[in-house]
């Protein structure tokens, strides 16, 4: 596919703080060697609510947010899920089920469709430092220190989930997830949220970072 046909650019804008951290500095050096970073916002020229193929086993769904798709035969691992409409694109890729969903951070735009995947039996993985913001968001909202009018919190998160999501696994910096032909390394990238992580997917001779916002 040519650039004129909407090919994903070599480097996509990611979290502003990403390159300000030690992990970001290392990733910055890797960018020069062909590493691709995929953030939440769709790049110019991306197909509206469509799919970009990055390699035989790695895709990006362009919906309300970018959703990473790692394929293993007729099953998939999703990186973030947005509002869930990525499900409409999976059959065209030959995917019949989602085995696992991993999240970069706890905001609603990344995870408001998670309930459907939980109900379908998918395993849910989240950043270790944000486990309670997925499993028990009420504890956040019921804490007066997190209300905007109080300003007791350095960074009140108005996009925190309002409904709990079952958590099966938590991930910290340096952990490795293996899924089919892909090796997925967890990189701690706090900034957009305090416990956010990015996922470095290595498959088919390519290295792609899914970094949320």
């Amino acid at each position: 596919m040519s650039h004129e046909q909407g090919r994903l650019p070599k480097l996509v804008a990611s979290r502003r703080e990403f390159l300000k951290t030690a992990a970001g500095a290392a990733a910055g050096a890797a960018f020069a060697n062909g590493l691709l970073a995929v953030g939440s916002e769709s790049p110019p020229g991306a197909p509206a609510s469509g799919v970009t193929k990055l390699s035989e086993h790695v895709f990006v769904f362009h919906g309300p947010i970018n959703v990473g798709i790692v394929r293993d035969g007729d099953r998939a691992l999703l990186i973030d899920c947005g509002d869930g409409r990525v499900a409409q694109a999976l059959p065209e890729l030959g995917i019949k089920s989602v085995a696992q969903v991993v999240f970069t951070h706890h905001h609603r735009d990344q995870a408001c469709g998670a309930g459907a995947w939980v109900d379908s039996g998918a395993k849910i993985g989240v950043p270790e430092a944000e486990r309670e913001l997925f499993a028990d968001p009420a504890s956040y909202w019921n804490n007066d220190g997190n209300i905007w009018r109080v300003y007791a919190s350095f960074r009140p998160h108005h996009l925190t989930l309002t409904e709990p999501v079952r958590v099966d696994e938590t991930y910290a910096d340096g952990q490795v997830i293996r899924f089919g032909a892909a090796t997925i390394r967890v990189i701690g990238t706090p900034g957009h949220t305090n416990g956010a992580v990015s996922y470095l997917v290595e498959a088919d001779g390519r290295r792609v970072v899914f970094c949320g916002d």
Side-chain angles (χ1 to χ4, degrees), residues 172-176 185-188:
D173 181 67
Q175 285 187 245
V176 174
R185 301 182 186 278
V186 181
I187 304 173

Side-chain angles (χ1 to χ4, degrees), residues 12-83:
V12 179
S14 62
R15 186 178 302 128
R16 287 191 300 271
E17 297 298 321
F18 183 67
L19 293 177
K20 296 180 182 178
T21 65
F31 289 156
N33 294 319
L35 181 67
L36 177 70
V38 181
S40 279
E41 295 183 2
S42 296
S49 296
V51 174
T52 293
K53 180 178 180 179
L54 301 181
S55 73
E56 186 62 29
H57 296 94
V58 184
F59 305 80
V60 180
F61 170 75
H62 306 286
I65 66 160
N66 284 329
V67 176
I69 303 170
V70 181
R71 183 177 64 186
D72 176 32
D74 63 359
R75 65 189 193 122
L77 174 149
L78 302 182
I79 300 175
D80 294 328
C81 70
D83 62 1

